[in-house]
Amino acid sequence: ILNVEQSPQSLHVQEGDSTNFTCSFPSSNFYALHWYRWETAKSPEALFVMTLNGDEKKKGRISATLNTKEGYSYLYIKGSQPEDSATYLCAFHSGGGADGLTFGKGTHLIIQP
Amino acid sequence: DAMVIQNPRYQVTQFGKPVTLSCSQTLNHNVMYWYQQKSSQAPKLLFHYYDKDFNNEADTPDNFQSRRPNTSFCFLDIRSPGLGDAAMYLCATSRTSGSSDTQYFGPGTRLTVL
């Protein structure tokens, strides 16, 4: 059974502050790590797909890093805005015939004005 | 424009009464997935179709079945819903089943079982 852990479970951040949170995953049989943002009443939206150790990806104020040897990824948000409030999910793909994603429970981020 | 559409967004059913959730896509993707997310849990893959090939996860209960009549549509059938089947059901698609292929999600159907 694959275990994907996200921490913290929830996070309150003041508008304008920067923040980050963690996704831990098995370091063996790694194929890809996906990050999604899920706003209430909307569809989960893909942020990044990361495949190589040391990968760093950026999209506007959001960036992510990947360490496949130790099995973790960080998601960073710089200068948080109210529209960043969402649940951030990471998902691990182990390849080898497993065609779906194994998700973590998510980090619920609330930006306070 | 919505690319993965799920209907209905909210579904209420009675204990034991069969229910069908639907998903459609405008992306012409080969793969369609169904995930179940129970309260405070991670989304969990139930099964997926690669084209017409059905792939069931080993621990998906027999109570859950799926149909994919054509590329655009996929249905989730729950034959006899129990209280424990109350959850958010997410449909997703991807072009291939490759590990780095982005999965595109619908907004989900929240199922309540009375």
Side-chain angles (χ1 to χ4, degrees), chain A:
Chain A
I1 296 176
L2 299 172
N3 215 23
V4 178
E5 301 284 346
Q6 290 189 248
S7 63
Q9 205 169 354
S10 66
L11 192 53
H12 287 70
V13 173
Q14 208 67 31
E15 183 178 353
D17 288 352
S18 296
T19 187
N20 65 84
F21 27 92
T22 309
C23 172
S24 302
F25 52 85
S27 54
S28 58
N29 291 329
F30 175 87
Y31 274 69
L33 195 282
H34 296 235
W35 279 102
Y36 286 86
R37 174 172 60 201
W38 192 3
E39 295 178 65
T40 302
K42 294 188 178 179
S43 303
E45 173 199 357
L47 290 174
F48 306 114
V49 180
M50 309 178 80
T51 57
L52 298 175
N53 185 45
D55 248 358
E56 290 189 28
K57 299 241 175 172
K58 190 175 179 191
K59 186 176 183 178
R61 292 178 292 99
I62 303 176
S63 60
T65 61
L66 179 68
N67 183 324
T68 60
K69 293 187 190 305
E70 295 181 41
Y72 64 84
S73 176
Y74 293 134
L75 191 82
Y76 300 89
I77 302 178
K78 189 177 174 182
S80 305
Q81 299 297 309
E83 59 264 28
D84 297 328
S85 296
T87 296
Y88 290 82
L89 292 165
C90 71
F92 171 82
H93 200 300
S94 61
D99 296 321
L101 296 170
T102 300
F103 279 89
K105 293 182 181 181
T107 292
H108 185 51
L109 177 65
I110 297 169
I111 307 300
Q112 295 169 324

Side-chain angles (χ1 to χ4, degrees), chain B residues 14-74:
Chain B
Q14 289 181 332
F15 182 93
K17 186 174 180 183
V19 66
T20 295
L21 310 182
S22 76
C23 177
S24 63
Q25 55 137 338
T26 60
L27 297 163
N28 205 35
H29 281 172
N30 291 311
V31 193
M32 294 187 79
Y33 309 83
W34 281 103
Y35 290 88
Q36 177 195 60
Q37 186 191 31
K38 295 186 180 181
S39 180
S40 303
Q41 299 295 313
K44 181 179 174 300
L45 181 66
L46 293 172
F47 28 56
H48 75 276
Y49 274 94
Y50 193 116
D51 211 5
K52 293 183 181 181
D53 291 333
F54 178 69
N55 298 272
N56 200 26
E57 293 299 295
D59 55 355
T60 297
D62 293 339
N63 200 22
F64 289 84
Q65 297 181 337
S66 186
R67 296 170 283 135
R68 189 179 184 186
N70 54 53
T71 301
S72 302
F73 284 87
C74 194

Side-chain angles (χ1 to χ4, degrees), chain B residues 86-102:
Chain B
M88 173 72 86
Y89 290 88
L90 290 164
C91 173
T93 75
S94 62
R95 191 176 53 83
T96 74
S97 59
S99 58
S100 58
D101 242 13
T102 296

